[in-house]
Coordinates of all heavy atoms in Angstrom, one line a residue:
Y26 N 89.6 115.8 115.3 CA 88.3 115.2 115.1 C 88.4 114.1 114.0 O 87.4 113.8 113.5 CB 87.4 116.3 114.6 CG 87.3 117.5 115.5 CD1 88.0 118.7 115.2 CD2 86.7 117.5 116.8 CE1 88.0 119.8 116.0 CE2 86.7 118.6 117.6 CZ 87.4 119.7 117.2 OH 87.4 120.8 118.1
G27 N 89.5 113.4 113.9 CA 89.7 112.3 113.0 C 91.0 112.5 112.3 O 91.4 113.5 111.9
L28 N 91.6 111.3 111.9 CA 92.9 111.3 111.2 C 92.6 111.1 109.7 O 92.0 110.1 109.3 CB 93.7 110.3 111.8 CG 94.0 110.4 113.3 CD1 94.9 109.2 113.9 CD2 94.7 111.7 113.6
P29 N 93.2 112.0 108.9 CA 92.9 111.8 107.4 C 93.4 110.6 106.8 O 92.9 110.2 105.7 CB 93.5 113.1 106.9 CG 94.5 113.6 107.9 CD 94.0 113.2 109.2
F30 N 94.5 110.0 107.3 CA 95.2 108.8 106.7 C 94.9 107.6 107.4 O 95.6 106.5 107.2 CB 96.6 109.1 106.4 CG 96.9 110.1 105.4 CD1 97.2 111.5 105.8 CD2 96.9 109.8 104.1 CE1 97.4 112.4 104.9 CE2 97.2 110.8 103.1 CZ 97.5 112.0 103.5
E31 N 94.0 107.6 108.4 CA 93.8 106.4 109.2 C 93.1 105.3 108.4 O 92.0 105.5 107.9 CB 93.0 106.7 110.5 CG 92.8 105.5 111.4 CD 92.1 105.9 112.7 OE1 91.3 106.9 112.6 OE2 92.4 105.4 113.7
G32 N 93.8 104.1 108.2 CA 93.2 103.0 107.6 C 93.1 103.1 106.1 O 92.4 102.3 105.5
V33 N 93.8 104.0 105.5 CA 93.7 104.2 104.0 C 94.8 103.3 103.4 O 95.7 102.9 104.0 CB 93.9 105.7 103.6 CG1 92.9 106.6 104.3 CG2 95.3 106.1 104.0
P34 N 94.6 103.0 102.1 CA 95.5 102.2 101.3 C 96.8 103.0 101.0 O 96.8 104.2 101.1 CB 94.8 101.7 100.1 CG 93.7 102.8 99.9 CD 93.3 103.2 101.2
Q35 N 97.8 102.3 100.6 CA 99.1 102.9 100.2 C 98.9 103.9 99.2 O 99.8 104.9 99.0 CB 100.1 101.8 99.8 CG 101.5 102.4 99.5 CD 102.2 103.0 100.6 OE1 102.0 102.5 101.8 NE2 102.9 104.1 100.4
S36 N 98.0 103.8 98.3 CA 97.8 104.8 97.2 C 97.6 106.2 97.7 O 97.9 107.1 97.1 CB 96.7 104.4 96.3 OG 95.4 104.3 97.0
Y37 N 97.0 106.3 98.9 CA 96.8 107.6 99.5 C 98.1 108.3 99.9 O 98.3 109.4 99.7 CB 95.8 107.5 100.7 CG 94.4 107.4 100.4 CD1 93.9 106.4 99.6 CD2 93.4 108.3 100.8 CE1 92.6 106.2 99.3 CE2 92.1 108.2 100.6 CZ 91.7 107.1 99.8 OH 90.3 107.0 99.5
I38 N 98.9 107.4 100.5 CA 100.2 107.9 100.9 C 101.1 108.3 99.7 O 101.7 109.3 99.7 CB 101.0 106.8 101.7 CG1 100.1 106.2 102.8 CG2 102.4 107.4 102.3 CD1 99.7 107.2 103.8
D39 N 101.0 107.5 98.6 CA 101.7 107.8 97.4 C 101.2 109.1 96.8 O 102.0 109.9 96.2 CB 101.5 106.6 96.4 CG 102.2 105.3 96.9 OD1 103.0 105.4 97.8 OD2 101.8 104.2 96.3
L40 N 99.9 109.3 96.8 CA 99.4 110.6 96.2 C 99.9 111.8 97.0 O 100.3 112.8 96.5 CB 97.9 110.6 96.3 CG 97.2 111.8 95.7 CD1 97.6 112.1 94.3 CD2 95.7 111.8 95.9
S41 N 99.9 111.6 98.3 CA 100.4 112.7 99.2 C 101.9 113.0 98.9 O 102.3 114.2 98.7 CB 100.3 112.3 100.7 OG 100.9 113.3 101.5
T42 N 102.7 111.9 98.7 CA 104.1 112.2 98.3 C 104.3 112.9 97.0 O 105.1 113.8 96.9 CB 104.8 110.8 98.3 OG1 104.7 110.1 99.5 CG2 106.2 110.9 97.9
M43 N 103.5 112.5 96.1 CA 103.5 113.2 94.7 C 103.1 114.7 94.9 O 103.8 115.6 94.3 CB 102.6 112.4 93.8 CG 102.7 113.0 92.3 SD 101.6 112.2 91.1 CE 100.0 113.0 91.5
M44 N 102.1 114.9 95.6 CA 101.6 116.3 95.7 C 102.5 117.1 96.5 O 102.8 118.3 96.1 CB 100.2 116.3 96.4 CG 99.1 115.7 95.6 SD 97.5 115.7 96.4 CE 97.1 117.5 96.7
T45 N 103.1 116.6 97.6 CA 104.1 117.4 98.3 C 105.3 117.7 97.4 O 105.7 118.9 97.5 CB 104.6 116.6 99.5 OG1 103.5 116.2 100.4 CG2 105.7 117.2 100.3
R46 N 105.7 116.9 96.6 CA 106.8 117.1 95.7 C 106.4 118.0 94.6 O 107.3 118.9 94.2 CB 107.3 115.8 95.2 CG 108.0 114.9 96.3 CD 108.4 113.6 95.8 NE 109.2 112.8 96.8 CZ 109.7 111.6 96.7 NH1 109.5 111.0 95.5 NH2 110.3 111.0 97.7
M47 N 105.3 118.0 94.1 CA 104.8 118.9 93.1 C 104.8 120.3 93.6 O 105.3 121.3 92.9 CB 103.4 118.5 92.5 CG 103.5 117.3 91.6 SD 101.9 116.8 91.0 CE 102.3 115.9 89.5
W48 N 104.3 120.5 94.8 CA 104.2 121.9 95.4 C 105.6 122.4 95.6 O 105.9 123.6 95.3 CB 103.4 121.8 96.7 CG 101.9 122.2 96.6 CD1 101.3 123.2 97.2 CD2 100.9 121.5 95.8 NE1 99.9 123.2 96.9 CE2 99.7 122.2 96.0 CE3 100.9 120.4 94.9 CZ2 98.5 121.8 95.5 CZ3 99.7 120.0 94.4 CH2 98.5 120.7 94.6
A49 N 106.5 121.5 96.2 CA 107.9 121.9 96.4 C 108.6 122.3 95.1 O 109.4 123.3 95.0 CB 108.6 120.9 97.1
S50 N 108.3 121.5 94.1 CA 108.9 121.8 92.8 C 108.5 123.1 92.2 O 109.3 123.9 91.6 CB 108.6 120.6 91.8 OG 109.3 119.5 92.1
F51 N 107.2 123.4 92.4 CA 106.6 124.6 91.9 C 107.3 125.8 92.5 O 107.7 126.8 92.0 CB 105.1 124.7 92.0 CG 104.5 125.9 91.5 CD1 104.3 126.1 90.2 CD2 104.2 127.0 92.4 CE1 103.7 127.3 89.6 CE2 103.6 128.2 91.9 CZ 103.4 128.3 90.5
I52 N 107.4 125.7 94.0 CA 108.0 126.8 94.7 C 109.5 127.1 94.3 O 109.9 128.2 94.2 CB 107.9 126.5 96.2 CG1 106.4 126.6 96.7 CG2 108.8 127.5 97.0 CD1 106.2 126.0 98.1
H53 N 110.1 126.0 94.0 CA 111.5 126.0 93.6 C 111.8 126.4 92.1 O 112.6 127.3 91.8 CB 112.2 124.7 93.8 CG 113.7 124.7 93.7 ND1 114.4 124.6 92.5 CD2 114.7 124.8 94.7 CE1 115.7 124.6 92.8 NE2 115.9 124.8 94.1
D54 N 111.0 125.9 91.2 CA 111.2 126.0 89.7 C 110.1 126.7 89.0 O 110.2 126.9 87.8 CB 111.4 124.7 89.1 CG 112.7 124.0 89.5 OD1 113.6 124.6 90.1 OD2 112.8 122.7 89.4
L55 N 109.0 127.0 89.7 CA 107.8 127.6 89.0 C 107.2 126.5 88.0 O 106.4 126.9 87.1 CB 108.1 128.8 88.2 CG 108.7 130.0 89.1 CD1 109.0 131.2 88.2 CD2 107.9 130.3 90.3
D56 N 107.5 125.3 88.3 CA 107.0 124.2 87.4 C 106.8 123.0 88.4 O 107.8 122.6 89.1 CB 108.0 123.8 86.4 CG 107.5 122.7 85.4 OD1 106.6 121.9 85.8 OD2 108.0 122.6 84.3
P57 N 105.6 122.4 88.5 CA 105.4 121.3 89.5 C 106.0 119.9 89.1 O 106.0 119.0 89.9 CB 103.9 121.2 89.6 CG 103.5 121.6 88.3 CD 104.4 122.7 87.8
N58 N 106.6 119.8 87.9 CA 107.0 118.5 87.4 C 108.4 118.1 87.7 O 108.6 116.8 88.0 CB 106.8 118.5 85.9 CG 105.3 118.6 85.5 OD1 104.5 117.7 85.8 ND2 104.9 119.7 85.0
P59 N 109.4 118.9 87.7 CA 110.8 118.4 87.7 C 111.2 117.5 88.8 O 112.0 116.6 88.7 CB 111.6 119.7 87.7 CG 110.7 120.8 87.1 CD 109.3 120.4 87.6

């Protein structure tokens, strides 16, 4: 019913990349930062 990243600026993609990595870091290290 619509694409979440359609027509958005690069900053949206960058935020997604940061969040994905934070979640993965937390699962791996129990800390979202490393």
Side-chain angles (χ1 to χ4, degrees):
Y26 307 103
L28 301 177
F30 290 96
E31 185 173 31
V33 301
Q35 181 63 36
S36 60
Y37 281 60
I38 313 298
D39 294 342
L40 176 62
S41 175
T42 299
M43 183 180 79
M44 290 176 65
T45 298
R46 291 176 174 178
M47 283 178 160
W48 265 239
S50 291
F51 181 80
I52 292 170
H53 191 276
D54 292 342
L55 305 182
D56 184 336
N58 294 290

